[in-house]
Every structure is written in C-alpha cells, then in structure tokens.
Amino acid sequence: MISRDKFDYLINLFDLGTSTAEKDPLLPVAQIRTQQFHDLWMDRIDIVRGIKGAGKTALYRVFHLLSESLWQDENLFCIFGVEATGDPVFCNFRDYFARFSALDFEKFWTLYFLSLIRDSINRDKKLQAIISNASEAENLEALWGSLDIPYERKSGLLGIVESIVRKFPSVRRIEPGVAVNHKLDGSTTYKPAMGIEFNEKQNTEKPRYIGDIRSILCSLLKAQKFRIWIMLDRLDEVFPRRSQEEENGLKGLLRAAYNLSEPELRIKVFLRDDIIEQLATSQGGFTALTHVTDRASSTMRWAKETILRLIVKRAFSNVGMAQYFSINHEALENDPNYREKVFYGMLPKKIGKVSTLDWLMNVLSDGNGIVTPRDIIDLFNLAKAEEYNDFQLNATDREYLISAKSLKSALEQLSVEKRNKILMAEFPHKRDSILKLEGGYSIHSSQSLEKLFGADWKVVTNDLISIGLIKHDPKKGYYRIPKIWIKGLRITQGQAK
C-alpha cells in the first residue's frame, strides 16, 4: 500500500521518458541493447529495419552517444549524416530533389558520402593525423580535388549538401528562403528552405574517380587498422511520403551505399519496413534489390522480457523512485525474476484474467505481433495522467502506482491517437480501405471482407495485414482486428455477418 502523501510524490516522479527518441532524456541512462544493436556492433548488418516507433532512431542515437568510445577503443569512426535532433537538412532542398531521377540521386548520395568523409578527416585531429601520415595520403588528397566540390570547414551538413547541389549543371541559382506549412489544425509553421532556379539541362553522368577514391581510402584504412561508418536515420522525413521523389531518392541512396560498401567503409541505413516494401513493389521495380539489401536486419521486434526491461530501467532510473522501492540496480540489470518482482511492486498483478505484462503485450500487439517501445511509453504516460487526475478527485492511499482502470483508459486514448497519427497520417493511400472497416466488427471471414472490399478483397486485405491493421489466423480461418485499433476505429467486438 502506498500512503496518500507518498503517492502524490511518486506519481510525479514516475517517468518513462518520451516516445520520440530525438528528445528522449532517458536514452543515455536507460538504453536497451537489442539484437539489432549487437548485429550493428559486430558489423553484420548495414540496413536496420523496423516499423515506426520500433526503436530505430533510439538505436541511431545510442551509437551517437557511443561514438567517442568507439573511436577511442575500437578504431571505429562514426559519421552521422543526418542530425540526431531537428529536421533533416535535406528538407531544405525538396524543390531541387523533385527533379531528380534515381540515377541523379545515386550520384548525389555518392558525392554526399565522400564529402562527409573528407569533412570528417579535416575536422578530427586524430583521423587527420592517421590519414596524412599514410603512404597514399597524397593520392587521396588529389582525388578529393577531382570531385570538384568546394569545401569550407565551417559549412556543416547544410553547406555540404549545398556545395553538391551547386555542382549539378541543372542548377542556375540557390538562395535561402522560408517554407510555409499550413497544418490541418489551422496552425502555420515556418522552416528554412532553399530557393533554387534550374536550367533545362540535366546531368546524368556518374561521378568520376569514385572507384579510385574508394580503393585508396579503404586500402589506407585497412593498413591503419581502423574503419569508417556513415549512419543515416529519419529518411522517411526527407521526402514527401509515397512520392516518386521518395522512391527515386531511396533507390539512389541504397545503390550508392551498396557501391561504396567495403569492410573498412560501411553506410548504415535505418529504414522503415513499409518503405522497403514500397521500393520492392514499385512500378519501376528495383533491380538488384536482393544484393542491395543482403545485409539488412530482420524487422525489429521486442519480446516480452525486453519490454519488461525497458519499463523497469526507465521507471527506476529516477533516484527517488529507486530509493522508495529499494531497487538493487545490479539485480535489475541481470536478474529477470527481480525485474518482474519490482514491476509488480508498481502495478497490479493482473488485468482481467491475465498478468499485467501479458495484457500489455496482448493489447499493444499489431497484426504482425509487434509491440513498439513508442506505444509502451505513450501508454504509460497517458495512464500516469489518468491516475493523477483520479487522485486529485479522490486523494486516498493507493495499492498500486498505476491501476488497471488507468491503463485501460490509456489504451483507449492511445488507440484513437494511433488511428490519427499512424493509420491516417502514414498510410493515406490506404485510407479508403481503412475507413470501410471503421465502425464494424473485430472478426471477419473471407466472405465478410469480400463484401467490404469487393473482388480485390485479397489484395486489399494483404495490404492491411502488411501494416499491422489485420491479423490473419489461417488455422481458424478468420481475420481479426487487433485490440490496439479497436477504440480508434470504433470497432465492436464480435463476428461480422
């Protein structure tokens, strides 16, 4: 039992951080090292795959936090080609990118990667000393010049991109400007943008000397026994979603990354599953996709034990919480039974007839059985607010920090948020199909789906299965809408006629 005074203190301390990794204050102290972390660390993968909210950006930031120690201890120099926070610099050049073919993008990304490496060599004293003292340093320096891209040390990522843009003959003039975005809620945002004037002439010539630069650079890196990785995240924010520009941009990116890749030089890309699927099924196809993605991870998945670890590490990273619950941090890190014990010190043993942890995994799983850290964090933040509001109305002693009632209410709110922020915002091309399910039943047969979607019901249904909206049980022969979507889509539990 938690006394009234202690509850008021603890509920305000309880914090699982924020679900947006770029702004998450707990990531440095409560990071979870998943299988994808270890696969990256051991250089087994170059493409990290996962749905939105699965933890790709968190993993990107973990390597950002570890970059200095990796350089000191592992002779691994990490270059981050997209800002860890804030808008990706590429958004400033959307008007420019809209005119690019996949081949143009392949050239752009190749030049960008090489420019990042040159910039890093000039900025890092240790890296500069290693490179300049190598026998092939003079040849490498001459080849940098062959790229014919002006370099200014103070320019940063924005300056690098602008320098590459100016290299293309199709560009006549570039001037700083402002992009105005009018949102559906009536608000307006203003962001920096580049105003670009174009010539009619386009340039499809591939950059020269790329093979020579890669060969000499990798030879030098191998001789000095160190490696360079370039890491890119948040690529779904660079281009307008589901656009030809996005398709061309990401195809060009993956080809450029594959062409430069060597054991001493890797391009590490963090990319959403649905975007990879989109590239694979695009009208123009994707030649050699198998080769380009042969070092891709499996989809990021969080097992029940990993979700438990996430919750307790974040909750008890607060000193006051840890002191009240007498947390042994060594046991918290190493003992699964202890983690479960302290978890149920905060929360009820069961919700309904199942354990609370199993309930969380059940209600937050999408149609592909994936529970994301983002949903866990958002659910508990909503539940905390519910619990505190209830306490304000009825300030009594409490058995648990967060009750089953608050968790259930939070689930309903989260379902509505996900309907708007995920289904409607991320998959507008599936909007009509999604709306046909809204207000219906949770369980469907092939016959009921055919009534809804018509002759192409199998294609439509498979599309909705791919984004996690529908779960198919082939043994029982039915299709179910997972609980995470029930409230948001106003679904009634039961069998459709």
Side-chain angles (χ1 to χ4, degrees), residues 160-287:
I160 289 173
V161 176
E162 186 175 347
S163 294
I164 298 171
V165 167
R166 291 184 184 277
K167 181 177 172 61
F168 282 74
S170 59
V171 176
R172 182 186 304 140
R173 186 173 64 176
I174 301 177
E175 291 182 352
V178 176
V180 181
N181 181 27
H182 300 287
K183 296 186 176 181
L184 294 176
D185 61 7
S187 63
T188 302
T189 60
Y190 302 88
K191 295 181 180 180
M194 292 295 173
I196 304 174
E197 291 185 13
F198 297 92
N199 294 311
E200 289 306 313
K201 182 181 178 181
Q202 294 291 323
N203 180 28
T204 58
E205 178 187 358
K206 285 193 176 183
R208 294 181 296 165
Y209 310 118
I210 298 304
D212 292 338
I213 293 176
R214 180 186 62 189
S215 178
I216 290 179
L217 179 62
C218 291
S219 175
L220 187 154
L221 295 174
K222 185 175 182 180
Q224 300 297 320
K225 296 182 179 179
F226 73 102
R227 298 168 291 156
I228 290 177
W229 287 0
I230 298 175
M231 309 186 89
L232 297 174
D233 181 39
R234 300 172 62 213
L235 293 166
D236 56 316
E237 299 176 30
V238 172
F239 308 109
R241 287 293 289 119
R242 302 280 166 181
S243 65
Q244 188 62 48
E245 178 185 340
E246 180 185 59
E247 181 181 324
N248 290 339
L250 296 180
K251 283 181 179 180
L253 167 66
L254 294 176
R255 288 193 181 108
Y258 180 75
N259 291 336
L260 284 178
S261 182
E262 296 287 348
E264 298 78 27
L265 174 61
R266 299 291 194 194
I267 317 296
K268 305 291 185 180
V269 179
F270 297 70
L271 203 56
R272 280 169 46 175
D273 264 344
D274 61 293
I275 293 178
I276 294 177
E277 180 185 349
Q278 173 193 340
L279 296 179
T281 58
S282 63
Q283 189 173 3
F286 194 169
T287 305

Side-chain angles (χ1 to χ4, degrees), residues 313-329:
K313 281 194 71 171
R314 285 175 171 267
F316 296 118
S317 64
N318 181 279
V319 174
M321 284 281 293
Q323 287 177 343
Y324 178 84
F325 287 95
S326 302
I327 296 300
N328 179 330
H329 284 286

